[in-house]
Every structure is written in C-alpha cells, then in structure tokens.
Amino acid sequence: MNAANTLLQLFLTLFREGGWVLWPIFGVSVLAWHIGFGKLVFLRKLKRARDRFIMAMETAHPLPPDATTSGCAPYDALLNEMRRTDGSALRIDFAFREFLANVIPDLEQGFSTMSACVSTAPLLGLLGTISGMNRMFSVITDVGLGSPGLMAGGISIALESALTGLTVAVAAMFFHNYLFNKKSIFVHALMKDGEQLVGRRDQRHV
C-alpha cells in the first residue's frame, strides 16, 4: 500500500513539474499501449486457432464432420471447405485467399496508429520544452536574472516534458517493432500453410 502511494505521489509530482503538456503525452502513451496489448492478445488468439486448425487437419483424411474446430470464424470457414471431399485445389486456393482477406486486415490494423503515437510523443515533448522556455523568458523579462527560483518552473517544464516524450516514444517504438515482427512471422507461416493445403488437395486428386 505504501509503495502504491509512493508511486502515485511520484506520478502527480511529475505532472505538476512537467506542466500541461504531460497530459497529452500520457494520453498518447495509453493509446499506444492499449492498441499494442490488444494486438498481442489477437495474435495469440490467432496462433491458438492456427494450432487447432492444424490439429484438426491431421486427425483424418477426409476430415469428419465432428472434427475439432479452431474457435476462430475465418479458420472454421476454411476448415469446413477442407472437409468437402469434392473440393478441388483451385477451390481450396480460393477459400484460402478469402481467409487471408478476412484475417490480414485485422492483423494490419493498429500499427499505423502506434507509429503515429511514436512520432507524436517527442513532438509533444518539444512543445512542452518550448512552453517551458517561454515561461522562463517571461519570468526573466518581469523580474530579471536575480530570481533563479522563479525560473526553475520553466526549466522544469522544459526538461520533464522532453524527457517524458522521448521515454514514451522509445518504449512504444520497441513494443511496435516487437509486435510487427511477430505479425510478419505469423503471416509468413500462413502463406506456407496455404501452399501446403493446396498441395495436399492436389495429391488427393492425383
């Protein structure tokens, strides 16, 4: 409980010293990580569905009507097409392309927004830096250089906002790259699955 109170006090102190610009930076950070964690959950859900789909494909040939489903609508539609004994390789290829048309847009969704958050956070930090410097020069204009304590507020805003913006951008960038790599690996695995499905149906019709 004490640790939570300490972290809360540090959080409030940061916002008090960093000025108003820390609030939009905080909002950008929340948006980026919300999208990122949602994308991570979605990728894990698709991976589990792919594992169930492959397991169902390996149960029997042809697949029985009560074969294990994947729990994912696009995969289940593809699985139902694979159950058809009269389906040609061309038909399977068409079904897989339709599967990709349903899955790929969902995989791609959100990455552009995360990239925008990565770019926006340091710009907001720069805005806070300019705001803090303007405040400091305003104090110098009013009272001169003899009051460093009054100038400290502007310096604090300039430094805290720049540091927070860069920290948010770097953390979001690493998370974005991690998710993008996982997505690319998964898409590559999907393409290999498609080739194997079509090849398997070709062998069955030979």
Side-chain angles (χ1 to χ4, degrees), residues 18 24 61 92 98 131 146-147 166 174 199:
H61 301 287
I92 296 301
E98 186 175 359
S131 176
S147 301
L166 289 174
F174 278 113

Side-chain angles (χ1 to χ4, degrees), residues 3-82:
N5 289 333
T6 302
L7 289 175
L8 178 60
Q9 291 300 322
L10 289 175
F11 187 78
L12 294 176
T13 300
L14 175 65
F15 274 76
R16 185 169 56 253
E17 294 179 353
W20 65 269
V21 76
L22 260 65
W23 289 106
I25 293 176
F26 177 72
V28 166
S29 175
V30 170
L31 177 61
W33 286 87
H34 173 73
I35 294 173
F37 278 115
K39 185 63 62 178
L40 185 63
V41 171
F42 181 68
L43 283 169
R44 289 182 177 178
K45 177 183 176 181
L46 275 183
K47 185 178 183 301
R48 289 195 298 267
R50 176 176 177 265
D51 293 339
R52 295 191 188 102
F53 174 81
I54 294 175
M55 185 181 301
M57 289 296 302
E58 294 176 351
T59 53
H61 301 287
L63 292 174
D66 59 346
T68 306
T69 60
S70 66
C72 177
Y75 265 117
D76 288 341
L78 182 60
L79 184 60
N80 289 332
E81 189 63 36
M82 293 298 298

